[in-house]
Amino acid sequence: MKANVMMNRALSIRTKNKSTPSKGHGRGRGFTFRSLRESVQPELSRKLFRLIKLENDLIHTHEAAGRERTAIATQLSEWGEQTSDEAVNDISDKIGVILSEMGGLEETYVNSLDLSRTHLKMIRDTERSVQPSRDGKSKLYDEFQKLKAKEPQSARLVLLEQELVRAEAENLVAEAQLTNVTRQKLKEAYDVEFTAIIERAEKQIILAKHGRRLLELLDDKALSPGDVRMPYENGAQARQVLNDAEDDLKEWQPEHHHKAVSENGSETSKGKSPVEPSA
Amino acid sequence: MKANVMMNRALSIRTKNKSTPSKGHGRGRGFTFRSLRESVQPELSRKLFRLIKLENDLIHTHEAAGRERTAIATQLSEWGEQTSDEAVNDISDKIGVILSEMGGLEETYVNSLDLSRTHLKMIRDTERSVQPSRDGKSKLYDEFQKLKAKEPQSARLVLLEQELVRAEAENLVAEAQLTNVTRQKLKEAYDVEFTAIIERAEKQIILAKHGRRLLELLDDKALSPGDVRMPYENGAQARQVLNDAEDDLKEWQPEHHHKAVSENGSETSKGKSPVEPSA
């Protein structure tokens, strides 16, 4: 089955009935009481926790892919040796070297996945630390509203309001930290990931192309019974292919990564109105 | 840990004390009795059987990688949605689309791995079918030698020798089939594999580069407490990135694969002398 181009393609990856994000929560000018209360989550970091767990699964899977590729490389070479066919012996052994390098690429890639994951963890940790700040503010707000309804003349109302203002100031700091860490680390996490994917892919292409060159050194002209295979004479060329592959990998350089400047130009904005400041 | 360039690089992938293949088994001019007996393996197809098994493990691992990548895509999008940050929401959702496509690439790749594996299976099946031919010939040879030593004048010797010649003829056909299938299918198996690796890698590069463009649309300027984020205005641009990614994938074409002609030219041959014909 050939996968369709962008088979998962959509404006959103979410299921349709969930695709409209709830409005009005832009962290634009700080939180109103109302927007705060709406955005409080029982466990702010729960979804990210799960994401980090899934990234860990993927790390283990790519580790396994690397190990298995290396095992295949060895097995292919050993099979080739016992065929008693000098050409198959040599080519399968050298294809094995190529495949083994492919396995090694997974190892490097896994290190980058792991780095990417540490960036996500920093977001998670910040999310976790912001939760008590939101909870505290929310609790004070409830208390204030309750008292105001029950004893509108209570002297404690003034004190509560002062506490609330302080809690809000503290929370403003926490929320600024959260948005800063979230955006910076999200970008770093997936920049590391995409850069690692590109590196691995470019090196895979180098190896695969040289691998195909090796295959071309194997004469597969059909023999009739009793026919004679020409003696294998491509050993030196096959060694040269491995040398070329090694040279190409050595010379590989990451493409210069132009950090595109966001151009908030002619494109239409979604035009959501930022929430009102709470102060 | 950064993997060294060609860390597994060697002239051979085999362990050193095994790296010299046994000599004199070139299928060059058919088999002598001696070379035949040396090359008979208790289970000719055992090593290939194991290789095919390992390829199956790799298939399952890449299936898992695809599934896990897709799960990550969904989870990232869902996390972004609950951040209540419109920019993070949109970008994480669209990064999710990119990652989901990455997952889909594994699926296509798995189909090619599976095809590659069917080629290896054809070699294995042929190896299996050649074994009885070798065994039969070997048994006749033993019988002939034993009788010759014990009763050099026996009339049965002539009959046995005739049988042996017939068995050898039959075996010559089998061995020709084996070398033809082995070489052709080995090339096909790994040509499919390398071509699939290149396709997946080139598409991964397309997706990763557009993924990085998406990241650049996320403003990560640090805010001070109470600072205002500019309203998110990159929604249309982000959608355009996905359109571009889709277009690039649609336009992707396999590079024309020049089948390199084997040049048995100036390079030195290993100079092994082919075994003598047995007739």
Side-chain angles (χ1 to χ4, degrees), chain B residues 203-237:
Chain B
K203 290 182 174 175
Q204 281 175 343
I205 290 170
I206 289 172
L207 287 167
K209 286 187 174 172
H210 288 296
R212 291 207 296 209
R213 284 178 64 205
L214 285 174
L215 291 175
E216 299 307 329
L217 296 177
L218 183 62
D219 174 21
D220 65 347
K221 190 168 51 70
L223 288 195
S224 303
D227 267 7
V228 176
R229 281 248 182 252
M230 298 295 290
Y232 178 62
E233 291 183 325
N234 293 337
Q237 270 182 279

mmCIF file of all heavy atoms in Angstrom, chain B residues 203-237:
data_model
loop_
_atom_site.group_PDB
_atom_site.id
_atom_site.type_symbol
_atom_site.label_atom_id
_atom_site.label_comp_id
_atom_site.label_asym_id
_atom_site.label_seq_id
_atom_site.Cartn_x
_atom_site.Cartn_y
_atom_site.Cartn_z
ATOM 1 N N LYS B 203 11.759 12.451 1.884
ATOM 2 C CA LYS B 203 10.479 12.997 2.344
ATOM 3 C C LYS B 203 10.577 13.494 3.783
ATOM 4 O O LYS B 203 9.932 14.486 4.151
ATOM 5 C CB LYS B 203 9.383 11.939 2.183
ATOM 6 C CG LYS B 203 9.045 11.692 0.715
ATOM 7 C CD LYS B 203 7.935 10.673 0.540
ATOM 8 C CE LYS B 203 7.551 10.589 -0.946
ATOM 9 N NZ LYS B 203 6.547 9.528 -1.186
ATOM 10 N N GLN B 204 11.370 12.807 4.584
ATOM 11 C CA GLN B 204 11.593 13.296 5.954
ATOM 12 C C GLN B 204 12.237 14.685 5.923
ATOM 13 O O GLN B 204 11.900 15.561 6.719
ATOM 14 C CB GLN B 204 12.500 12.332 6.724
ATOM 15 C CG GLN B 204 11.784 11.098 7.245
ATOM 16 C CD GLN B 204 12.741 10.103 7.890
ATOM 17 O OE1 GLN B 204 13.952 10.170 7.688
ATOM 18 N NE2 GLN B 204 12.195 9.167 8.652
ATOM 19 N N ILE B 205 13.162 14.865 5.003
ATOM 20 C CA ILE B 205 13.844 16.163 4.902
ATOM 21 C C ILE B 205 12.841 17.254 4.516
ATOM 22 O O ILE B 205 12.833 18.346 5.095
ATOM 23 C CB ILE B 205 15.014 16.081 3.898
ATOM 24 C CG1 ILE B 205 16.134 15.209 4.480
ATOM 25 C CG2 ILE B 205 15.537 17.470 3.555
ATOM 26 C CD1 ILE B 205 17.234 14.849 3.498
ATOM 27 N N ILE B 206 11.990 16.935 3.554
ATOM 28 C CA ILE B 206 10.948 17.897 3.156
ATOM 29 C C ILE B 206 10.111 18.280 4.377
ATOM 30 O O ILE B 206 9.914 19.463 4.676
ATOM 31 C CB ILE B 206 10.031 17.282 2.064
ATOM 32 C CG1 ILE B 206 10.791 17.158 0.735
ATOM 33 C CG2 ILE B 206 8.750 18.115 1.896
ATOM 34 C CD1 ILE B 206 10.029 16.375 -0.341
ATOM 35 N N LEU B 207 9.634 17.276 5.079
ATOM 36 C CA LEU B 207 8.747 17.543 6.221
ATOM 37 C C LEU B 207 9.480 18.301 7.323
ATOM 38 O O LEU B 207 8.948 19.255 7.904
ATOM 39 C CB LEU B 207 8.177 16.226 6.761
ATOM 40 C CG LEU B 207 7.110 15.560 5.884
ATOM 41 C CD1 LEU B 207 6.844 14.131 6.349
ATOM 42 C CD2 LEU B 207 5.813 16.369 5.895
ATOM 43 N N ALA B 208 10.702 17.889 7.615
ATOM 44 C CA ALA B 208 11.442 18.521 8.714
ATOM 45 C C ALA B 208 11.739 19.981 8.398
ATOM 46 O O ALA B 208 11.678 20.851 9.276
ATOM 47 C CB ALA B 208 12.727 17.752 8.989
ATOM 48 N N LYS B 209 12.052 20.265 7.141
ATOM 49 C CA LYS B 209 12.348 21.654 6.790
ATOM 50 C C LYS B 209 11.107 22.535 6.920
ATOM 51 O O LYS B 209 11.185 23.666 7.405
ATOM 52 C CB LYS B 209 12.943 21.732 5.376
ATOM 53 C CG LYS B 209 14.386 21.232 5.364
ATOM 54 C CD LYS B 209 15.086 21.436 4.049
ATOM 55 C CE LYS B 209 16.555 21.028 4.208
ATOM 56 N NZ LYS B 209 17.284 21.021 2.928
ATOM 57 N N HIS B 210 9.977 22.012 6.498
ATOM 58 C CA HIS B 210 8.747 22.792 6.684
ATOM 59 C C HIS B 210 8.385 22.864 8.161
ATOM 60 O O HIS B 210 7.836 23.864 8.611
ATOM 61 C CB HIS B 210 7.622 22.192 5.839
ATOM 62 C CG HIS B 210 7.804 22.441 4.366
ATOM 63 N ND1 HIS B 210 7.795 23.705 3.833
ATOM 64 C CD2 HIS B 210 8.030 21.604 3.332
ATOM 65 C CE1 HIS B 210 8.006 23.635 2.516
ATOM 66 N NE2 HIS B 210 8.149 22.368 2.191
ATOM 67 N N GLY B 211 8.707 21.815 8.891
ATOM 68 C CA GLY B 211 8.486 21.844 10.337
ATOM 69 C C GLY B 211 9.275 22.978 10.990
ATOM 70 O O GLY B 211 8.768 23.693 11.856
ATOM 71 N N ARG B 212 10.500 23.141 10.545
ATOM 72 C CA ARG B 212 11.294 24.234 11.102
ATOM 73 C C ARG B 212 10.723 25.591 10.719
ATOM 74 O O ARG B 212 10.779 26.551 11.502
ATOM 75 C CB ARG B 212 12.753 24.112 10.628
ATOM 76 C CG ARG B 212 13.461 22.908 11.230
ATOM 77 C CD ARG B 212 14.960 23.082 11.329
ATOM 78 N NE ARG B 212 15.610 23.198 10.033
ATOM 79 C CZ ARG B 212 16.862 22.803 9.794
ATOM 80 N NH1 ARG B 212 17.585 22.257 10.769
ATOM 81 N NH2 ARG B 212 17.402 22.942 8.617
ATOM 82 N N ARG B 213 10.153 25.681 9.526
ATOM 83 C CA ARG B 213 9.496 26.947 9.138
ATOM 84 C C ARG B 213 8.342 27.251 10.092
ATOM 85 O O ARG B 213 8.120 28.407 10.469
ATOM 86 C CB ARG B 213 8.949 26.849 7.711
ATOM 87 C CG ARG B 213 9.999 26.964 6.627
ATOM 88 C CD ARG B 213 9.356 26.808 5.259
ATOM 89 N NE ARG B 213 8.413 27.881 4.948
ATOM 90 C CZ ARG B 213 7.394 27.759 4.092
ATOM 91 N NH1 ARG B 213 7.175 26.610 3.460
ATOM 92 N NH2 ARG B 213 6.585 28.776 3.854
ATOM 93 N N LEU B 214 7.604 26.211 10.458
ATOM 94 C CA LEU B 214 6.496 26.429 11.401
ATOM 95 C C LEU B 214 7.012 26.982 12.726
ATOM 96 O O LEU B 214 6.425 27.901 13.303
ATOM 97 C CB LEU B 214 5.748 25.114 11.654
ATOM 98 C CG LEU B 214 4.812 24.606 10.562
ATOM 99 C CD1 LEU B 214 4.280 23.228 10.933
ATOM 100 C CD2 LEU B 214 3.653 25.583 10.340
ATOM 101 N N LEU B 215 8.111 26.398 13.195
ATOM 102 C CA LEU B 215 8.656 26.840 14.483
ATOM 103 C C LEU B 215 9.031 28.318 14.442
ATOM 104 O O LEU B 215 8.891 29.038 15.433
ATOM 105 C CB LEU B 215 9.883 26.002 14.855
ATOM 106 C CG LEU B 215 9.608 24.541 15.206
ATOM 107 C CD1 LEU B 215 10.919 23.793 15.423
ATOM 108 C CD2 LEU B 215 8.720 24.443 16.444
ATOM 109 N N GLU B 216 9.512 28.746 13.261
ATOM 110 C CA GLU B 216 9.918 30.151 13.154
ATOM 111 C C GLU B 216 8.732 31.098 13.237
ATOM 112 O O GLU B 216 8.906 32.300 13.437
ATOM 113 C CB GLU B 216 10.683 30.385 11.845
ATOM 114 C CG GLU B 216 11.971 29.579 11.703
ATOM 115 C CD GLU B 216 12.905 29.746 12.892
ATOM 116 O OE1 GLU B 216 12.901 30.833 13.501
ATOM 117 O OE2 GLU B 216 13.612 28.787 13.219
ATOM 118 N N LEU B 217 7.546 30.573 13.061
ATOM 119 C CA LEU B 217 6.351 31.420 13.148
ATOM 120 C C LEU B 217 5.896 31.639 14.589
ATOM 121 O O LEU B 217 4.941 32.363 14.842
ATOM 122 C CB LEU B 217 5.199 30.796 12.335
ATOM 123 C CG LEU B 217 5.447 30.694 10.824
ATOM 124 C CD1 LEU B 217 4.277 29.995 10.146
ATOM 125 C CD2 LEU B 217 5.669 32.081 10.214
ATOM 126 N N LEU B 218 6.576 30.974 15.513
ATOM 127 C CA LEU B 218 6.224 31.125 16.928
ATOM 128 C C LEU B 218 7.156 32.158 17.566
ATOM 129 O O LEU B 218 8.368 31.931 17.677
ATOM 130 C CB LEU B 218 6.356 29.770 17.637
ATOM 131 C CG LEU B 218 5.960 29.737 19.117
ATOM 132 C CD1 LEU B 218 4.490 30.088 19.302
ATOM 133 C CD2 LEU B 218 6.254 28.359 19.710
ATOM 134 N N ASP B 219 6.605 33.287 17.941
ATOM 135 C CA ASP B 219 7.382 34.360 18.568
ATOM 136 C C ASP B 219 7.793 33.926 19.969
ATOM 137 O O ASP B 219 6.935 33.677 20.816
ATOM 138 C CB ASP B 219 6.508 35.628 18.629
ATOM 139 C CG ASP B 219 7.195 36.750 19.417
ATOM 140 O OD1 ASP B 219 8.422 36.710 19.556
ATOM 141 O OD2 ASP B 219 6.461 37.642 19.882
ATOM 142 N N ASP B 220 9.093 33.826 20.210
ATOM 143 C CA ASP B 220 9.528 33.389 21.541
ATOM 144 C C ASP B 220 10.318 34.483 22.263
ATOM 145 O O ASP B 220 11.139 34.193 23.126
ATOM 146 C CB ASP B 220 10.329 32.086 21.470
ATOM 147 C CG ASP B 220 11.640 32.268 20.720
ATOM 148 O OD1 ASP B 220 11.809 33.308 20.053
ATOM 149 O OD2 ASP B 220 12.487 31.365 20.786
ATOM 150 N N LYS B 221 10.041 35.721 21.896
ATOM 151 C CA LYS B 221 10.651 36.832 22.614
ATOM 152 C C LYS B 221 10.221 36.740 24.084
ATOM 153 O O LYS B 221 9.053 36.521 24.398
ATOM 154 C CB LYS B 221 10.150 38.151 22.005
ATOM 155 C CG LYS B 221 10.864 39.398 22.493
ATOM 156 C CD LYS B 221 10.503 40.617 21.624
ATOM 157 C CE LYS B 221 9.009 40.825 21.423
ATOM 158 N NZ LYS B 221 8.253 41.259 22.616
ATOM 159 N N ALA B 222 11.191 36.921 24.990
ATOM 160 C CA ALA B 222 10.878 36.799 26.413
ATOM 161 C C ALA B 222 10.011 37.961 26.868
ATOM 162 O O ALA B 222 10.279 39.114 26.540
ATOM 163 C CB ALA B 222 12.172 36.749 27.225
ATOM 164 N N LEU B 223 8.979 37.641 27.613
ATOM 165 C CA LEU B 223 8.087 38.666 28.176
ATOM 166 C C LEU B 223 8.456 38.940 29.628
ATOM 167 O O LEU B 223 8.852 38.046 30.354
ATOM 168 C CB LEU B 223 6.639 38.190 28.155
ATOM 169 C CG LEU B 223 5.904 38.116 26.833
ATOM 170 C CD1 LEU B 223 4.411 37.975 27.109
ATOM 171 C CD2 LEU B 223 6.181 39.347 25.974
ATOM 172 N N SER B 224 8.297 40.193 30.033
ATOM 173 C CA SER B 224 8.367 40.511 31.458
ATOM 174 C C SER B 224 6.958 40.367 32.025
ATOM 175 O O SER B 224 5.973 40.451 31.282
ATOM 176 C CB SER B 224 8.850 41.944 31.661
ATOM 177 O OG SER B 224 10.095 42.116 31.043
ATOM 178 N N PRO B 225 6.862 40.172 33.344
ATOM 179 C CA PRO B 225 5.529 40.017 33.946
ATOM 180 C C PRO B 225 4.643 41.201 33.559
ATOM 181 O O PRO B 225 5.066 42.350 33.660
ATOM 182 C CB PRO B 225 5.820 40.007 35.440
ATOM 183 C CG PRO B 225 7.218 39.531 35.555
ATOM 184 C CD PRO B 225 7.934 40.033 34.342
ATOM 185 N N GLY B 226 3.458 40.906 33.118
ATOM 186 C CA GLY B 226 2.531 41.952 32.727
ATOM 187 C C GLY B 226 2.701 42.421 31.295
ATOM 188 O O GLY B 226 1.844 43.125 30.768
ATOM 189 N N ASP B 227 3.812 42.017 30.651
ATOM 190 C CA ASP B 227 4.016 42.374 29.243
ATOM 191 C C ASP B 227 2.928 41.765 28.375
ATOM 192 O O ASP B 227 2.290 40.781 28.751
ATOM 193 C CB ASP B 227 5.370 41.834 28.749
ATOM 194 C CG ASP B 227 6.474 42.865 28.904
ATOM 195 O OD1 ASP B 227 6.213 43.920 29.514
ATOM 196 O OD2 ASP B 227 7.594 42.595 28.446
ATOM 197 N N VAL B 228 2.795 42.344 27.219
ATOM 198 C CA VAL B 228 1.741 41.918 26.310
ATOM 199 C C VAL B 228 2.346 41.175 25.131
ATOM 200 O O VAL B 228 3.278 41.671 24.501
ATOM 201 C CB VAL B 228 0.973 43.161 25.783
ATOM 202 C CG1 VAL B 228 -0.070 42.748 24.750
ATOM 203 C CG2 VAL B 228 0.338 43.904 26.940
ATOM 204 N N ARG B 229 1.855 39.981 24.849
ATOM 205 C CA ARG B 229 2.245 39.312 23.606
ATOM 206 C C ARG B 229 1.483 39.951 22.467
ATOM 207 O O ARG B 229 0.305 40.248 22.598
ATOM 208 C CB ARG B 229 1.869 37.835 23.643
ATOM 209 C CG ARG B 229 2.804 36.960 24.414
ATOM 210 C CD ARG B 229 3.575 36.002 23.510
ATOM 211 N NE ARG B 229 4.437 35.153 24.318
ATOM 212 C CZ ARG B 229 5.768 35.257 24.372
ATOM 213 N NH1 ARG B 229 6.402 36.171 23.659
ATOM 214 N NH2 ARG B 229 6.475 34.447 25.126
ATOM 215 N N MET B 230 2.159 40.162 21.372
ATOM 216 C CA MET B 230 1.455 40.604 20.173
ATOM 217 C C MET B 230 0.418 39.541 19.824
ATOM 218 O O MET B 230 0.675 38.353 19.992
ATOM 219 C CB MET B 230 2.424 40.758 19.003
ATOM 220 C CG MET B 230 3.516 41.788 19.209
ATOM 221 S SD MET B 230 2.832 43.458 19.334
ATOM 222 C CE MET B 230 2.286 43.693 17.623
ATOM 223 N N PRO B 231 -0.736 39.975 19.334
ATOM 224 C CA PRO B 231 -1.722 38.964 18.931
ATOM 225 C C PRO B 231 -1.117 38.052 17.852
ATOM 226 O O PRO B 231 -0.317 38.510 17.040
ATOM 227 C CB PRO B 231 -2.876 39.781 18.351
ATOM 228 C CG PRO B 231 -2.628 41.195 18.730
ATOM 229 C CD PRO B 231 -1.187 41.345 19.054
ATOM 230 N N TYR B 232 -1.501 36.804 17.882
ATOM 231 C CA TYR B 232 -0.962 35.833 16.922
ATOM 232 C C TYR B 232 -1.522 36.110 15.527
ATOM 233 O O TYR B 232 -2.738 36.115 15.328
ATOM 234 C CB TYR B 232 -1.337 34.430 17.363
ATOM 235 C CG TYR B 232 -0.877 33.342 16.416
ATOM 236 C CD1 TYR B 232 0.474 33.134 16.169
ATOM 237 C CD2 TYR B 232 -1.800 32.520 15.776
ATOM 238 C CE1 TYR B 232 0.897 32.141 15.295
ATOM 239 C CE2 TYR B 232 -1.394 31.517 14.917
ATOM 240 C CZ TYR B 232 -0.047 31.339 14.679
ATOM 241 O OH TYR B 232 0.366 30.346 13.824
ATOM 242 N N GLU B 233 -0.644 36.360 14.610
ATOM 243 C CA GLU B 233 -1.103 36.726 13.263
ATOM 244 C C GLU B 233 -0.550 35.801 12.199
ATOM 245 O O GLU B 233 -0.650 36.088 11.012
ATOM 246 C CB GLU B 233 -0.666 38.167 12.951
ATOM 247 C CG GLU B 233 -1.402 39.197 13.783
ATOM 248 C CD GLU B 233 -1.005 40.624 13.416
ATOM 249 O OE1 GLU B 233 0.179 40.821 13.081
ATOM 250 O OE2 GLU B 233 -1.867 41.502 13.468
ATOM 251 N N ASN B 234 0.064 34.688 12.621
ATOM 252 C CA ASN B 234 0.752 33.837 11.649
ATOM 253 C C ASN B 234 -0.060 32.624 11.214
ATOM 254 O O ASN B 234 0.485 31.711 10.585
ATOM 255 C CB ASN B 234 2.101 33.381 12.211
ATOM 256 C CG ASN B 234 3.062 34.544 12.361
ATOM 257 O OD1 ASN B 234 2.906 35.571 11.682
ATOM 258 N ND2 ASN B 234 4.033 34.408 13.248
ATOM 259 N N GLY B 235 -1.351 32.631 11.568
ATOM 260 C CA GLY B 235 -2.184 31.474 11.234
ATOM 261 C C GLY B 235 -2.182 31.170 9.741
ATOM 262 O O GLY B 235 -2.027 30.017 9.334
ATOM 263 N N ALA B 236 -2.334 32.214 8.941
ATOM 264 C CA ALA B 236 -2.403 31.992 7.493
ATOM 265 C C ALA B 236 -1.059 31.490 6.963
ATOM 266 O O ALA B 236 -1.007 30.589 6.115
ATOM 267 C CB ALA B 236 -2.804 33.277 6.784
ATOM 268 N N GLN B 237 0.018 32.056 7.493
ATOM 269 C CA GLN B 237 1.341 31.603 7.064
ATOM 270 C C GLN B 237 1.576 30.150 7.441
ATOM 271 O O GLN B 237 2.164 29.384 6.679
ATOM 272 C CB GLN B 237 2.426 32.466 7.713
ATOM 273 C CG GLN B 237 2.806 33.686 6.891
ATOM 274 C CD GLN B 237 3.921 34.469 7.578
ATOM 275 O OE1 GLN B 237 3.633 35.252 8.496
ATOM 276 N NE2 GLN B 237 5.146 34.245 7.165
#
